[in-house]
Amino acid sequence: MIDSTQAYNHSINPLLAMLERVFDLTEHERLSLEQVPLRQHVFAAEQTIAREGDRPTRSFMLLDGIAATAKVISTGKRQITNLHIPGDMPDLLSLHLEVLDSDVRAITQCRVAFMEHWALRHLCEENPRIAAALWKNSLIDAAIYREWVTNIGQRQAPQRLGHVFCEMMLRMKAIGLNSGMSCPFAVSQAVLGEVTGMSTVHVNRSLMELRGEQLVSFEKGVLTIHDWDRLAEFAGFDETYLHLPYKPAAAAARSRQAQSHAAH
Amino acid sequence: MIDSTQAYNHSINPLLAMLERVFDLTEHERLSLEQVPLRQHVFAAEQTIAREGDRPTRSFMLLDGIAATAKVISTGKRQITNLHIPGDMPDLLSLHLEVLDSDVRAITQCRVAFMEHWALRHLCEENPRIAAALWKNSLIDAAIYREWVTNIGQRQAPQRLGHVFCEMMLRMKAIGLNSGMSCPFAVSQAVLGEVTGMSTVHVNRSLMELRGEQLVSFEKGVLTIHDWDRLAEFAGFDETYLHLPYKPAAAAARSRQAQSHAAH
DNA sequence: CGCCTGCTTGACCTCGCTCAAGGCCCGTGG
DNA sequence: CCACGGGCCTTGAGCGAGGTCAAGCAGGCG
């Protein structure tokens, strides 16, 4: 199942595009990145990409689609602890933690690029700035977890849902997948329930409330936020925790280009 | 308030003890660690050690006491996203993330050791294994956050509380602060409410239930688990997510010694 | 002694869960 | 082309876990 559709190759590494969104690479860094062998694979919706208890020898970057990290508890209920969008590396942690403590599952169809651990380790040893950037990335993941703990622990259902929508919109924007205040977000209400820790029925009712207030629409796999300021206010959303990079518009555009380049 | 009671000095670095619990240091690593200047400070209970929005130029290791990372939402409710025990570095993330997204507050009286970022950066550049170990540490933090999301999102009140108790017991054991199945845990029921996302009243009732089942006692700042297996079963606790290091008993004892050495 | 903080208990209420049924959309097969 | 079936969304009714408010209690400390 974790078998690949094509052999490892040396096409442009998507890590390169991801890192260029953050800082300018040296020639040496660029070369090192290009030497990391890649293996692409496509997973159908619902397939498990990595399983709790696994001891992977490689990690992957999500290139396309939406995936989720999730835990199942003894009663059989499932909690999604993180949603992944293109550019994320959901199991990079296995580079340092031997055994996975959660499943990673494809929500929609997902295209991913696997990289062997030995290659990533070599990359990090040779390029401390890249290592630092990946470390930083995992710190941002942690910041998102903190916000989710707060979201689930403290906010009422409609606010909780609104908060998730705000987060996803900004993260999608950061990788250029939005168009205005719309972005692709093809998840079912059942999945939103696993994300927010609430029942599908209550997700539905909360959603109706947000719709009724003209704050969002959410249909056909597209999320649209009609009034960002009011939704952010309503949900108590403050983007600080996403630690999005400040960068001049020109640089942002350049790296967006590099990104879509790598993706095709 | 973030002023120090004594000047930076070069006494044994508690990082050294913490790292020795994980792997054996080379002479060079040891020397580098000893060159990181330390500044100790004591915070009274309830004091804020670091504040949301801060841009710290140094990070600290908790040497003594219990601290908490917390977020306040617009309604004024507070969620604790992480409890810290000696050996933790609650704001190490500021090494890579410019601005803090949460407060760090002393729950009990806390003794901490500050280290300047420039010194830590230098340490990491010179010693890739130390950098990797710190990175790994932040990945374990993230794993704990994932479990908390799951705990708060999916478990009923008594199970949720039991789960927190199991986690704290194991973390305390890992640094040798337990005696048998008892460990110091001087937090109020109100704090447990902020940890679990439930009201103080309901913490109290859940606690009574756990006591009634002869699973735990929790009084005078000491947590005791009377029947580990039954509590773990009850709370659905699986320690995998703590990623505790396997190590031979001898080594564990040695590093416990080093730890208590550094602490006095 | 009196106060303050934290624990305990009761009464009431509500947010969100469960169970259940009906509706819509879309893909598949006759 | 239409019938059928399966997801997924929607809605209703009833219930229960946990919140809120309020009061009483116990222990430590000035």
Side-chain angles (χ1 to χ4, degrees):
Chain A
M1 182 192 325
I2 302 202
D3 213 9
S4 295
T5 50
Q6 63 176 96
Y8 275 85
N9 65 48
H10 293 265
S11 64
I12 290 264
N13 193 309
L15 249 181
L16 198 153
M18 187 266 264
L19 290 169
E20 279 220 313
R21 235 175 291 131
V22 189
F23 59 84
D24 292 319
L25 296 163
T26 66
E27 206 43 47
H28 181 263
E29 288 166 342
R30 195 179 297 268
L31 278 173
S32 291
L33 279 161
E34 278 166 12
Q35 267 157 31
V36 175
L38 294 176
R39 192 166 217 161
Q40 287 204 18
H41 188 70
V42 174
F43 290 88
E46 307 279 283
Q47 268 191 298
T48 300
I49 306 178
R51 200 177 305 270
E52 187 177 342
D54 278 359
R55 296 159 187 269
T57 59
R58 54 183 187 173
S59 294
F60 67 90
M61 176 179 279
L62 183 57
L63 300 181
D64 225 85
I66 290 179
T69 299
K71 290 198 166 213
V72 180
I73 70 166
S74 40
T75 63
K77 288 154 159 277
R78 177 161 43 198
Q79 174 71 43
I80 290 177
T81 57
N82 203 352
L83 284 169
H84 304 287
I85 64 177
D88 288 351
M89 301 187 68
D91 73 342
L92 182 62
L93 51 90
S94 62
L95 199 58
H96 291 296
L97 302 181
E98 226 190 321
V99 45
L100 290 186
D101 54 60
S102 319
D103 298 328
V104 182
R105 200 167 40 114
I107 300 294
T108 66
Q109 177 179 289
C110 286
R111 198 162 52 87
V112 312
F114 285 103
M115 293 163 258
E116 292 290 334
H117 281 171
W118 60 259
L120 290 171
R121 289 215 177 81
H122 184 72
L123 180 69
C124 287
E125 277 157 24
E126 296 282 298
N127 304 276
R129 287 168 78 216
I130 293 182
L134 292 178
W135 181 358
K136 175 172 177 173
N137 242 300
S138 64
L139 292 172
I140 295 178
D141 286 345
I144 294 177
Y145 291 135
R146 278 193 292 280
E147 190 63 41
W148 282 40
V149 168
T150 308
N151 197 33
I152 296 175
Q154 300 297 340
R155 279 189 265 266
Q156 307 277 84
Q159 284 82 346
R160 208 186 291 181
L161 200 54
H163 198 280
V164 170
F165 288 152
C166 286
E167 173 179 320
M168 293 317 291
M169 182 60 71
L170 282 198
R171 286 171 64 190
M172 289 289 189
K173 271 181 90 164
I175 57 170
L177 281 189
N178 65 313
S179 65
M181 268 299 169
S182 289
C183 69
F185 192 44
V187 308
S188 69
Q189 295 184 8
V191 167
L192 286 180
E194 291 180 352
V195 165
T196 52
M198 42 202 257
S199 69
T200 309
V201 173
H202 209 61
V203 167
N204 184 272
R205 294 198 228 263
S206 304
L207 198 45
M208 311 246 78
E209 198 175 321
L210 293 179
R211 284 203 269 247
E213 297 283 339
Q214 313 282 353
L215 290 171
V216 306
S217 45
F218 178 72
E219 40 186 16
K220 317 240 181 227
V222 176
L223 166 67
T224 305
I225 297 184
H226 296 117
D227 188 335
W228 174 268
D229 291 341
R230 250 175 69 234
L231 182 61
E233 159 84 25
F234 176 78
F237 183 82
D238 171 354
E239 74 179 78
T240 310
Y241 76 97
L242 290 174
H243 299 276
L244 295 171
Y246 257 138
K247 65 184 310 187
R254 170 159 42 78
S255 63
R256 201 157 35 240
Q257 238 173 20
Q259 167 70 4
S260 73
H261 207 254
H264 296 113
Chain B
M1 186 192 322
I2 301 202
D3 214 7
S4 295
T5 51
Q6 62 175 97
Y8 274 85
N9 63 51
H10 293 265
S11 64
I12 291 264
N13 193 310
L15 249 181
L16 198 153
M18 187 265 263
L19 290 169
E20 279 221 312
R21 235 176 291 131
V22 188
F23 59 82
D24 292 320
L25 296 163
T26 66
E27 206 45 46
H28 180 265
E29 288 166 341
R30 196 179 296 269
L31 279 173
S32 293
L33 280 162
E34 279 166 11
Q35 267 155 30
V36 175
L38 294 176
R39 192 168 216 160
Q40 288 204 16
H41 188 71
V42 174
F43 290 88
E46 306 280 283
Q47 268 191 296
T48 300
I49 306 179
R51 199 177 305 272
E52 187 176 342
D54 278 359
R55 297 160 186 271
T57 59
R58 54 183 189 175
S59 292
F60 67 91
M61 176 179 279
L62 183 56
L63 301 180
D64 224 86
I66 290 179
T69 299
K71 291 198 167 214
V72 180
I73 69 166
S74 39
T75 63
K77 288 153 159 279
R78 176 160 46 201
Q79 174 71 43
I80 289 176
T81 57
N82 202 351
L83 283 169
H84 305 288
I85 64 176
D88 288 352
M89 301 186 69
D91 72 342
L92 183 61
L93 50 90
S94 61
L95 200 59
H96 291 296
L97 302 181
E98 227 191 320
V99 44
L100 290 186
D101 54 61
S102 318
D103 299 327
V104 182
R105 201 166 40 113
I107 300 294
T108 65
Q109 176 180 289
C110 285
R111 198 162 52 88
V112 312
F114 285 103
M115 292 164 260
E116 293 289 335
H117 282 169
W118 62 259
L120 290 171
R121 289 215 176 82
H122 184 73
L123 180 71
C124 287
E125 277 156 24
E126 294 283 297
N127 304 277
R129 287 169 78 217
I130 294 182
L134 293 179
W135 181 359
K136 175 171 176 174
N137 243 298
S138 64
L139 292 172
I140 295 178
D141 286 345
I144 294 177
Y145 291 135
R146 278 193 291 280
E147 190 63 40
W148 281 40
V149 168
T150 309
N151 197 34
I152 295 175
Q154 300 297 341
R155 279 190 264 267
Q156 306 276 85
Q159 284 81 345
R160 207 185 292 181
L161 200 54
H163 198 279
V164 170
F165 287 152
C166 286
E167 173 181 319
M168 292 317 291
M169 182 61 71
L170 282 199
R171 287 171 63 191
M172 289 288 190
K173 270 179 92 162
I175 56 169
L177 282 188
N178 66 312
S179 64
M181 268 300 169
S182 290
C183 69
F185 192 42
V187 308
S188 69
Q189 294 184 8
V191 167
L192 286 179
E194 292 179 352
V195 165
T196 52
M198 42 203 257
S199 67
T200 308
V201 173
H202 209 61
V203 167
N204 184 272
R205 293 198 228 262
S206 303
L207 199 45
M208 311 245 79
E209 197 174 324
L210 294 179
R211 284 202 270 248
E213 295 284 338
Q214 313 281 354
L215 290 171
V216 305
S217 43
F218 178 72
E219 40 187 14
K220 318 242 181 221
V222 176
L223 166 68
T224 305
I225 297 183
H226 296 117
D227 188 334
W228 174 268
D229 292 342
R230 249 176 70 236
L231 182 61
E233 160 84 24
F234 175 77
F237 183 83
D238 171 354
E239 73 178 77
T240 310
Y241 76 97
L242 289 174
H243 298 275
L244 295 170
Y246 259 137
K247 67 183 311 187
R254 170 161 41 77
S255 61
R256 200 157 37 241
Q257 237 173 21
Q259 168 69 3
S260 73
H261 207 256
H264 297 112

